[in-house]
Amino acid sequence: FHVLPNCVIHFSKWSQLVVSLSGGILDEEALLPAPQNISILSTNMKHFLTWSPVTVPGETVRYSVEFQGEYERDYANEIWIPISECSLIIVTQCNVTEDISATVPYNLRVRANLGSRGSKWSTLKVLFNRITTFLTPPVMEVSADGYHLLVKLEDLGPAFQFHIFYWRKGQERVHKKTVKEISSVVHLDTIEAGAEYCVKAQTYVEAINRSSNFSQTQCVHGSIWMTTALVSFVGFVVGVLALPFLAWKMSQIFQYSCCPVVVLPDTLVISLSSLLFLGCCIFTGRKRLIE
């Protein structure tokens, strides 16, 4: 009576072991866990599929990624397209930016591989559309060079544009400038020396018709060194031109102050010819006396 239950118990354990072993033999994928926590991190139109690692002690697990766009899902029998750059990789992320080429819902999946064995596919819980990418405000540097208001923006790529807003502080009128091609420095406007100007900007992507939040406002003062330099230069030129005249005028003043000019009467005025004649006579008379 007591032996039978033990036999039943042992038979039950043995049957479970057989079933477990047969299950392992028939379904090798069950031995390799599927990746978990599948998600997409998307910032500034750069999309990365990420997942938690599958750990097998002493082994290197590899991963493969596939995607399915709207066309494949609705018109091509729901086929999946492998991403060659993310085939049998050892990292737990895949750059899918080049494959997400349209503003439509995409599905992505990943599975783990160990030798000839592969796990089940793990798929995104929610379809991804690149319109949901997070756009960051542009990094910018505002400066004033003489009478020019300048701004330097980071280059995010050909898909990005920038809306720049600038105004003179204390005035309500705001100017807007759209920049499509980023050069080293963007010239905004000509400004007044000494006045304060403020600038803010936002990132814009035409393909998804979305803009980022505004950047932090930056304000600069119009440089006054150009005005100072111009005034100094004009003063120098005026000084150089006026100095000879002032020197001549001062000499005249001192001359008339120290040695005033006395006008001789006509009786004392001797012409040059009279002086020459008188001198000649004196010289001739002296010569005769000597002889």
Side-chain angles (χ1 to χ4, degrees), residues 65-254:
V65 179
E66 297 180 347
F67 77 92
Q68 185 184 80
E70 186 179 55
Y71 176 80
E72 291 79 17
R73 185 170 51 255
D74 297 339
Y75 304 102
N77 297 322
E78 299 185 352
I79 63 172
W80 290 84
I81 300 177
I83 299 178
S84 58
E85 295 82 0
C86 299
S87 177
L88 300 178
I89 58 177
I90 62 175
V91 295
T92 57
Q93 70 173 17
C94 172
N95 187 348
V96 297
T97 302
E98 297 298 326
D99 304 284
I100 308 297
S101 57
T103 310
V104 296
Y106 281 83
N107 201 358
L108 294 107
R109 65 182 187 179
V110 60
R111 73 172 180 177
N113 299 94
L114 183 60
S116 60
R117 295 178 296 167
S119 70
K120 293 182 178 180
W121 289 99
S122 294
T123 308
L124 281 175
K125 294 181 179 180
V126 179
L127 299 182
F128 171 74
N129 193 320
R130 68 179 185 177
I131 198 173
T132 62
T133 188
F134 177 71
L135 298 178
T136 61
V139 177
M140 67 175 187
E141 181 180 346
V142 181
S143 61
D145 184 7
Y147 296 110
H148 305 289
L149 181 62
L150 308 175
V151 60
K152 184 177 182 180
L153 298 165
E154 65 173 334
D155 189 357
L156 296 177
F160 291 82
Q161 302 178 20
F162 299 96
H163 296 321
I164 306 173
F165 299 84
Y166 61 97
W167 63 95
R168 180 174 176 175
K169 201 166 186 179
Q171 295 183 355
E172 297 182 357
R173 184 180 180 184
V174 177
H175 304 275
K176 178 182 177 181
K177 186 170 186 177
T178 299
V179 178
K180 297 183 179 180
E181 295 182 1
I182 297 300
S183 59
S184 57
V185 177
V186 178
H187 178 267
L188 295 180
D189 207 345
T190 301
I191 59 178
E192 296 182 13
E196 187 175 9
Y197 291 82
C198 298
V199 181
K200 65 180 181 180
Q202 62 180 173
T203 305
Y204 174 72
V205 180
E206 186 176 8
I208 60 176
N209 192 26
R210 281 190 54 220
S211 301
S212 71
N213 294 328
F214 283 105
S215 65
Q216 186 176 2
T217 301
Q218 298 184 30
C219 299
V220 295
H221 285 86
S223 178
I224 62 174
W225 73 268
M226 288 290 292
T227 303
T228 305
L230 181 60
V231 171
S232 300
F233 177 74
V234 171
F236 174 76
V237 172
V238 171
V240 169
L241 296 178
L243 185 60
F245 174 77
L246 292 175
W248 175 81
K249 194 66 177 176
M250 291 299 295
S251 66
Q252 292 295 318
I253 293 174
F254 281 115

Side-chain angles (χ1 to χ4, degrees), residues 11-23:
F11 177 77
S12 175
K13 291 182 178 180
W14 174 255
S15 63
Q16 291 177 5
L17 179 62
V18 171
V19 171
S20 176
L21 291 175
S22 63

